[in-house]
Every structure is written in structure tokens, then in C-alpha cells.
Amino acid sequence: MSKFTLAIVAGASAAVGAATTAALYGFSRPKRPEESHTITTTSTTISTPGATRTSAPPPAPMVILRDDPSVPAIPPVDPSGVFQYGFPGPVSDLRSACSLTSAFDRARRNPHWVAEHITPASLLIRNGDRRHSYFAEDINIPEKFRAKLTDYARSGYDRGHQVPAADAKWSQEAMDSTFALSNMCPQVGEGFNRDYWAHFEDFCRRLTSFYPSVRVVTGPLYLPKREADGKWRVSYEVIGHPPNVAVPTHFYKVIFAEDGKMGGNVSLGAFVLPNAVIANDKPLQDFEVPVEAVERASGLEFAGLLPPARRKRLCQEINCSVIVKEYAERQRTMMTPPPQKGGAPPSTSLTQRQ
């Protein structure tokens, strides 16, 4: 997908999960002295839920005053009264683990986004071993909304880490936290999750050779495509028993490479990759897009508080390209440690621009 097409597609994508509330507006005017009638109002107490992690408490019904005393002083209906039975949502289950922070999409049983932080120090510490980690359901998500291990069984898709286990070797607890299914999405295995996507994850780790702090936000997208009749439609597979775990059409990464200074510059990069087999010789920059395109497509905001004066374009600061390792070799080595300060650059095509 070209950058121009992605921008159009992202613009056509509707933001999902937006909660709406209705408010009643009334008007009143001062009573003229000759008016002698009295308007009596009554108050109604309605039990409403408190603020949630994703919404403010609903407003109380507004009293509407009318000139005609025969018109009730309060509206004849109370739509917000449904809150006494529960707040419909949407709800994004926030998860704060030692290696990641995430928000979960209950409707699609996938994360909305997962954020991580990697540094040269975090990648040098090797206290975690993935052989001791196991895929597990996230018990903090209500059972009827969570993804289950059986959903992936014989589905033909990998349980694709959004924050990779290789980024959390600094403790066993950190590594274990990446194996919750709330950190997973169904991904094409051979040719993507085990290949190009893994090379892309390695690219993110190697950024710590040039930046002391790298933050990455990763997540799924469900993008429309033009069909034979010329119309754009969103279509994606659903797996599970019953089928309710969505298979994303694409995945994004938004990268914040920080220079480590207070109020310093941030090299910003955004990439969107299809959930499909990608040839290893495909240039990574072919998947670079404006961060605004990812925001429009996902309904999320990533850099609204980052002033333009502090922004740098990542792929103008460094050479955005991946290096290819065979899957078996990568499973043995996972990654090479970043070089020590003052040492030679790593043997990779990720080199700093002059």
C-alpha cells in the first residue's frame, strides 16, 4: 500500500469506540411583574455510576423552565436513567505491567495499543528466559470479553506479541507480562510474525545504539479496501470459539526516539505494515507514514502534546532499514547487544545519517 493510498484509507476509516452522551438544553427568561402564577419544580434523584477509567460521570438532567405553566417543569423523559443498570461503555481496560502499558478493545478482543520503553541498559540485562514464560489469558479482563487460548488453537494464526518478549529480558516478571493474551493479536506466522515483523522489532531495539531512550506504541488496524464495485469496505476475519477475536488487516508502530535531554528533541516515526507475508527485501521506508495517518485510522492520538519545534523525522536522522536473520538463528540469538559508548557501530544497516 502506497503512502498516498494509506493516507486516503486512514482518512476514510472511522474512529471506533467513541462514547456519546445526550444533554438536554432549556431556556428561561425573567418573569414579568404582572405574572402571578407560580411554577413548582420537583427534584428527582437518579443513581448513576461514578467516573470510570474512560469516561466522566454522566451529567444530571437539566430542569427546563417554560412560560406556559401547563408544561411540566422537568422533561417527560430521562434517557440517562439507563445508567442505574450500568454504564454501557465503551470501556478500555487499562493494564499497567512492569514491561508495558496497554488499553484493551473488548469488542475485538485485541489491544487498542500497547506502549513500551527500551533503553541500552534494559537490553543488556538478561534475567528473563522465555522458556519459563507461558501464554495466558488476562484474568483482569471480564471473561466474556477476553481472548482465550482456545481461540487461537488451530486458527492458522500466531499469537503475535505487540510488545516482544525480547524487549523484556531484564527480569522474568517483565518477560512473563508480555505473554498475556491482552498483549497479543492474531498475526500471519511465516513470512510476517516470524520474519519481517521480527526484523522490524529488531530495528526498534537497535535504535538504542543511537538514542538513550526509545518508546514504542504498537497496535492493530482494521483498514478498508476498495472492492470491485468501487466502494470502500472494512473486512476482516474473526477467529475463536465462538468466533470473536478479530484478525487485524494491518499493524502500526509509532516510535519516539528521545535524545535524553530535558525538553530535548524527539525523532518521530510511524509505520503501518499489512498483516500478510512481506518479502525480506522490502524496504522498511515503504511502510513509513505520517503519524497523523495512524491517528486518523485508529482513532487514537500519539503526539498531541509534542510541540512541532521538538519533532524530528526519524528516517531523516537514521537510515530506516531492517536486517534479515533466519528464524532459527534469531531464536538462538534474539538480538546482538548494542555497542558500548565509543565503540564501533553494530553490524547492521541501521546507521546514522551524516
Side-chain angles (χ1 to χ4, degrees):
M1 178 182 294
S2 69
K3 301 175 192 174
F4 178 74
T5 300
L6 177 67
I8 296 176
V9 169
S13 301
V16 295
T20 59
T21 56
L24 300 174
Y25 293 90
F27 65 90
S28 64
R29 63 174 178 78
K31 192 193 310 182
R32 294 191 298 270
E34 61 271 18
E35 293 179 334
S36 58
H37 62 262
T38 302
I39 297 178
T40 303
T41 61
T42 59
S43 61
T44 302
T45 301
I46 299 175
S47 176
T48 59
T52 68
R53 288 171 291 181
T54 56
S55 65
M62 296 182 64
V63 175
I64 302 178
L65 300 180
R66 302 292 187 186
D67 293 334
D68 187 349
S70 65
V71 178
I74 59 175
V77 296
D78 175 25
S80 298
V82 74
F83 294 147
Q84 66 186 296
Y85 305 114
F87 180 68
V91 173
S92 291
D93 298 274
L94 295 176
R95 179 187 179 210
S96 181
C98 53
S99 61
L100 59 88
T101 299
S102 65
F104 189 74
D105 179 354
R106 291 184 173 188
R108 295 188 174 100
R109 275 73 172 177
N110 286 325
H112 283 301
W113 53 266
V114 188
E116 62 172 319
H117 184 208
I118 51 181
T119 65
S122 72
L123 296 178
L124 284 173
I125 302 172
R126 304 295 182 91
N127 292 331
D129 188 337
R130 68 180 296 146
R131 291 175 296 182
H132 303 312
S133 299
Y134 302 94
F135 292 98
E137 298 173 14
D138 191 334
I139 60 174
N140 293 311
I141 296 170
E143 185 175 3
K144 62 184 175 181
F145 299 126
R146 76 176 70 141
K148 298 183 170 73
L149 293 169
T150 54
D151 291 331
Y152 284 87
R154 295 180 294 279
S155 69
Y157 292 97
D158 284 4
R159 293 164 291 198
H161 284 72
Q162 301 302 280
V163 169
D167 293 1
K169 290 185 175 182
W170 49 273
S171 82
Q172 190 62 49
E173 179 186 3
M175 178 164 286
D176 290 346
S177 67
T178 69
F179 279 81
L181 291 187
S182 57
N183 183 44
M184 306 289 161
C185 289
Q187 287 186 327
V188 171
E190 188 172 353
F192 185 67
N193 181 46
R194 306 173 202 171
D195 294 282
Y196 202 93
W197 184 254
H199 307 328
F200 187 22
E201 292 171 336
D202 183 67
F203 163 82
C204 295
R205 286 188 288 272
R206 291 177 183 275
L207 287 173
T208 60
S209 298
F210 307 107
Y211 300 95
S213 174
V214 177
R215 303 182 190 275
V216 185
V217 183
T218 305
L221 291 173
Y222 311 88
L223 298 183
K225 63 179 179 180
R226 190 189 295 272
E227 298 188 354
D229 60 2
K231 296 181 179 180
W232 294 85
R233 293 184 177 89
V234 177
S235 176
Y236 54 84
E237 185 180 350
V238 183
I239 63 172
H241 309 283
N244 49 34
V245 179
V247 179
T249 63
H250 294 74
F251 290 93
Y252 69 83
K253 281 187 182 290
V254 177
I255 301 172
F256 304 83
E258 303 168 337
D259 66 8
K261 301 174 183 177
M262 183 68 69
N265 293 329
V266 178
S267 296
L268 191 62
F271 302 84
V272 172
L273 283 66
N275 188 12
V277 174
I278 301 175
N280 281 330
D281 60 356
K282 180 76 169 174
L284 178 60
Q285 279 196 256
D286 285 359
F287 302 111
E288 184 191 10
V289 299
V291 67
E292 293 79 10
V294 182
E295 292 177 330
R296 287 193 298 269
S298 63
L300 307 172
E301 275 198 297
F302 301 99
L305 298 181
L306 181 62
R310 294 179 55 198
R311 298 189 188 194
K312 300 291 183 181
R313 183 184 161 201
L314 180 67
C315 293
Q316 287 182 338
E317 299 296 306
I318 54 95
N319 182 13
C320 290
S321 59
V322 299
I323 62 170
V324 176
K325 291 183 180 179
E326 294 300 324
Y327 182 66
E329 177 192 353
R330 190 174 62 256
Q331 289 297 95
R332 288 194 301 269
T333 62
M334 293 307 295
M335 67 160 288
T336 56
Q340 300 294 326
K341 272 191 173 181
S347 55
T348 171
S349 57
L350 176 62
T351 55
Q352 192 140 21
R353 294 186 186 275
Q354 300 299 322

